[in-house]
């Protein structure tokens, strides 16, 4: 230690010994200023202070008037330091399981999906993305395509025009399966059906007394074959009585009983229609097949109810005949052709309007009767959200859906949603389906907790009629769980 520094230190120690209280006060003051975040400045270094001199405490720094303040640097992230990623929001844990119901052996090979209609979140899935045969649930797709392609107000016409020679008339089939042989359409199965009697009366009036010498029948609108090769003809046309040969001209869907939901169909729907036309026209003039002359004068016309009415009735009673008519007309309007084979391209073109991915879908017919149809349940759950919200005019599909325990093919007499499953009566709006290798149900559930779910369930494979009760039980489970439905 240098002599000067040692003397200074000795002086300070001497001062402390001489005036201890003063130094204690000064020290406390200095500590207070430091702890209070004040600025402490020693007026001189300890080495230069004279012995016994006081230490000056300055609480306010002195700044030059012209000095430019140093800017505060902007903090930058250290590129070498890892930054924690944003944590995703915690997902809800759903606790209501239907796993035991989904494992019911009566369901065969189960394909199913349930979606929260409000959020679009998939709540339950069992092979939901796998295309499978839909049975009559396919009618939902046919209806959607018809609304987009034909329009809700489109009506199907049956016409009579003048032939190429005097006294000849040509009846032109427009594909209207609801045209009725009953006077005024009264008592027909189809609601407010047009009448072939009316068509004949208009024709007689237009001819003004000129006798009919011959009748030409033009059914060229629909191409052959008349029967879809994958259908079981004996089962569907004869035993079930659900489906006719698809000619562009028929009456009452070619039913033997024009007022019945199902009734055996003939092998010549066109001949049956022409028989009644002749009867009402009052002539035995010869009949030949042919086509109407270009630009021929129209003598008579009747038309069906609008597409919306046709869809409503076909959805409620699962009418194959109307849906086959609509699918064929959609294909024709889309420019895809006029045969069964054209319906795939036609219906898929119509479905583009709804903006849902159609990957994996194959359309073999319009009714869903063919096992060659293929639609994943995931497509139906998305489409039914639009049906529920009545988008693009799809409200008519919702209105036509059978209601559990109340209407249509889910109503009394169909043995659906009985026993414990009746808890969902009135709350399930859905389309039913059945073919030899599967039972299906798809639609909308107004769940017990107030949520709304869209769902599709396929029970496929070597299943029997009791698959319907297993489907109902699973659907009732969806109803009870609501948005708390888990995928476990």
């Amino acid at each position: 230690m240098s002599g000067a520094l040692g003397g200074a230190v000795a002086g300070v120690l001497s001062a402390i010994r001489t005036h201890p209280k003063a130094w204690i006060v000064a020290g406390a003051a200095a500590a207070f200023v430091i702890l209070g975040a004040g600025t402490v400045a020693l007026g001189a270094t300890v080495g230069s202070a004279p012995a016994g001199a006081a230490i000056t405490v300055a609480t306010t720094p002195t700044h030059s008037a012209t000095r430019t303040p140093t800017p505060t640097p902007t903090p930058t992230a250290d590129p070498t330091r890892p930054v924690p990623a944003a944590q995703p929001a915690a997902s809800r844990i759903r606790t209501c399981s239907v796993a035991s119901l989904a494992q019911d052996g009566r369901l065969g090979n189960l394909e199913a999906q349930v979606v929260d209609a409000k959020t679009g979140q998939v709540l339950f899935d069992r092979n939901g993305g796998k295309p499978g045969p839909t049975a009559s649930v396919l009618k939902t797709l046919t209806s959607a395509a018809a609304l987009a392609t034909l329009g809700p107000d489109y009506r199907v016409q049956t016409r009579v025009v003048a032939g190429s020679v005097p006294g000849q008339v040509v009846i032109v089939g427009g594909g209207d399966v609801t045209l009725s042989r009953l006077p005024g359409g009264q008592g027909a199965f189809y609601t407010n059906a047009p009448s072939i009697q009316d068509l004949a009366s208009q024709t007689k009036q237009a001819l003004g007394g000129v006798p009919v010498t011959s009748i030409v029948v033009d059914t060229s609108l629909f191409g052959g074959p008349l029967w879809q090769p994958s259908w079981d003809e004996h089962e569907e046309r004869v035993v079930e009585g659900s489906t006719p040969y698809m000619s562009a001209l028929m009456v009452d869907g070619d039913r033997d009983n024009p007022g019945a939901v199902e009734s055996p169909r003939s092998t010549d729907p066109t001949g049956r229609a022409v028989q009644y036309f002749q009867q009402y026209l009052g002539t035995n003039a010869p009949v030949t097949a042919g086509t109407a002359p270009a630009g021929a004068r129209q003598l008579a016309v009747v038309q069906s109810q609008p597409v919306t009415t046709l869809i409503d009735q076909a959805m409620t009673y699962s009418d194959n005949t109307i849906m086959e008519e609509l699918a064929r007309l959609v294909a024709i309007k889309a420019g895809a052709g006029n045969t069964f084979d054209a319906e795939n391209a036609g219906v898929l073109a119509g479905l583009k309007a709804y903006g849902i991915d159609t990957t994996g879908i194959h359309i073999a017919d319009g009714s869903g009767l063919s096992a060659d149809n293929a639609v994943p349940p995931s497509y139906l759950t998305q489409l039914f959200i639009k049906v529920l919200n009545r988008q693009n005019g799809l409200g008519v599909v919702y209105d036509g859906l059978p209601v559990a325990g109340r209407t249509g093919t889910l109503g009394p007499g169909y043995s659906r949603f009985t026993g414990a499953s009746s808890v969902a009566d009135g709350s399930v709006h859905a389309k039913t389906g059945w073919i030899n290798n599967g039972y299906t149900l798809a639609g909308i559930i107004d769940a017990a907790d107030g949520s709304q779910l869209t769902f599709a369930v396929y029970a496929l494979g070597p299943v029997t009629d009791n698959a319907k009760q297993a489907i109902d039980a699973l659907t009732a489970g969806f109803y009870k769980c609501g948005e708390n439905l888990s995928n476990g």
Side-chain angles (χ1 to χ4, degrees), residues 344-417:
N344 182 61
V347 172
L348 288 178
L351 293 177
K352 287 182 180 179
Y354 303 100
I356 307 172
D357 185 8
T358 57
T359 299
I361 294 179
H362 177 72
I363 305 297
D365 59 30
S367 63
L369 193 57
S370 174
D372 295 336
N373 289 300
V375 181
S378 57
Y379 183 87
L380 288 161
T381 56
Q382 294 303 308
L383 181 61
F384 273 113
I385 290 176
K386 295 182 181 292
V387 170
L388 173 63
N389 294 328
R390 312 183 80 85
Q391 295 177 21
N392 302 79
L394 288 170
V396 63
V397 175
Y398 179 85
D399 294 338
L401 289 172
V403 180
R406 306 288 173 81
T407 63
T409 53
L410 287 179
Y414 284 87
S415 299
R416 300 300 299 264
F417 287 89

Side-chain angles (χ1 to χ4, degrees), residues 124-145:
F124 179 88
D125 189 279
R126 297 291 188 274
N127 302 309
K130 183 179 179 181
T134 61
S136 284
V137 168
L138 189 82
K139 292 177 171 68
T140 307
L141 276 69
T142 304
S143 298

